[in-house]
Amino acid sequence: MDSESALDDSYFDHCPWDFGPRASAAQRDAQTAHQKRLTDAGARIGPHCFVSPVAGVFTDTLRLGENSYIAGHAYVTGEVTTGSDCTVNPYATVRGRIALGDGVRIGAHSSLLGFNHGFGPDRPVHRQPLTSRGITVGDDVWIGSNVVVLDGVTIGDHCVVGAGAVVTKDLPPWSVAAGNPARRLRDRRESGPVRRGTAEGGGGVGDQVARFADRARSQAAGLLARAWDADAGRYRDRPGVPLTVRAHCDAVEIADLLLGSPPPQLSAAEHTERLRALQDPAEGMVPELADDGGPGVLPARAADGWIDDGAAEYHVLSVGYALELLGSRFAHPVRPVERTTAGGLVARLESLPWRTRAWSAGAWVDCWATGAHHNLGLGAAAGEPGTLEALFGWLGTRVDPWTGMWGGSAPPAEGRLQLVNGHYRLTRGSFAQFGLQLPYPARVVDTVLDHGGDPRWFAAGRRNACNVLDVAHPLWLAGRQSGHRAAEARAWAGEQLAHALGEWRDGTGFGFGPPGEGGSGPGREPGLQGTEMWLAIVWLLADLVGVADRLGYRPRGVHRPGAARSPAPGLPGHPVLVDNTL
């Protein structure tokens, strides 16, 4: 008997890495037949993969990258996508909405649980509704044996999660984490544990951000109560101003960041019901509230079928993400996105005021792409087939290779304000949200650092949340692709972080800042919008400095730093004209 025939099928169920070099011809034929049964049911399995016949694979969606395997007795259900060279070892459980990058190792008996259900007292546990925010794991990640990863978690590139850990919160790239709940122990690139007293380890600025987070967390319930109008059953940004849709969404985001729960004024189900009820069922967009706090009315469609209303466009972001944080979604698709044709999208893009009002143009892209994200989450259309690809194709061929941005000259009095702020809105909803790489990241860093030194917008007494956010996010996003001028980016972030931490007002939170361009923004008075935005900005700045893990939160809503969705089927791993070397 030769060595091949000596290895029975159960050997490969438990040691699938040996299947390629050691399986017999008959075993290869059997594996091919097994994979065909899966692909006939809709799975996509790359070359040189192995799926054990004794694994429980009952997926709605399965995308298995090349050189990947699912070992014996693994339990795999839901919507599971992997990159190349991924391994699901024996007895591992991978369930729900799970997206793995390249080179992910999931140890034996580990569980990635990309779903959850309620446990309220109103009904038995087995009748509770299911929710799913999904789990995202980056490239080159090792998840040890007996690890549990809970729904909603993102594990960054190059992380190592120690055996037996329970991962309840996001882990930044290069983390070595362990424990229950899992805590970041050090940066994998360092040779030993992080030492206290360094910026990365938590001394100095690390201790400052930790103290700030504790302070904000202890005051969060009071901030939300201050903005709540019990008679109307809605939120204001702050006392004395009108009730708004955005204020309710900001309250949901602040509670998620600081309390890890819905705002205490209502139950999660009640918050969800009130936000879902605001959506216009015919158009799928959310108008601003009427003066009495009741639902508003949308304007008529434009000639191309779009609803041109600034508040309703922003509510595609704010309401959609608030519902996701509550474990829900819109009740209806965003209809103007659903009915978009590729030609119509390109015509609208061509008509936007890129050269004079790049912020407005970028905001429209942000709204449309976020509507596409929400529609895909509902199983609805993001335009006719090929429309989402048309968006990235158009953007990829219109980007300026000298600035890494979209748009042209603006009035000299504004400098690069329109250009940079438009870049943030555009890339937030498109490249960042769909997990795609930026074109020309080094040029982006050059442009935003140049703008970030402009005293008209960043001198003492002149900063506002939009302007700082619109530099911090591009620096963070481009920094994931390129180390270009990284020390300067950290220095800028450190300066802005020190300023931001000093602006917190006990009992009232953050003010947005001085009135922005054209007098926009809520101004200096502390309120929900300023608090939500600056909490997200503080995270971005702290992560650029290397101490974000000390905050104990990571934005997951409108101002989340990275992907809200893996690239949609058919989208490439990155658009054309990506340049990581400039």
Side-chain angles (χ1 to χ4, degrees), residues 123-145:
R123 67 190 77 179
V125 169
H126 73 279
R127 297 188 184 277
Q128 294 285 341
L130 291 176
T131 61
S132 178
R133 300 199 303 267
I135 293 170
T136 301
V137 180
D139 298 335
D140 181 36
V141 172
W142 176 18
I143 296 173
S145 296

Side-chain angles (χ1 to χ4, degrees), residues 418-431:
Q418 284 276 341
L419 188 67
V420 171
N421 290 12
H423 178 274
Y424 164 69
R425 286 297 305 271
L426 182 153
T427 57
R428 192 220 72 84
S430 56
F431 293 91

Side-chain angles (χ1 to χ4, degrees), residues 229-250:
D229 186 314
D231 293 333
R234 299 197 184 278
Y235 292 91
R236 307 176 189 274
D237 181 73
R238 58 189 184 276
V241 300
L243 302 164
T244 63
V245 174
R246 178 169 182 162
H248 197 150
C249 301
D250 286 335

Side-chain angles (χ1 to χ4, degrees), residues 465-479:
C466 274
N467 293 344
V468 178
L469 172 67
D470 295 356
V471 172
H473 185 270
L475 286 178
W476 184 91
L477 195 60

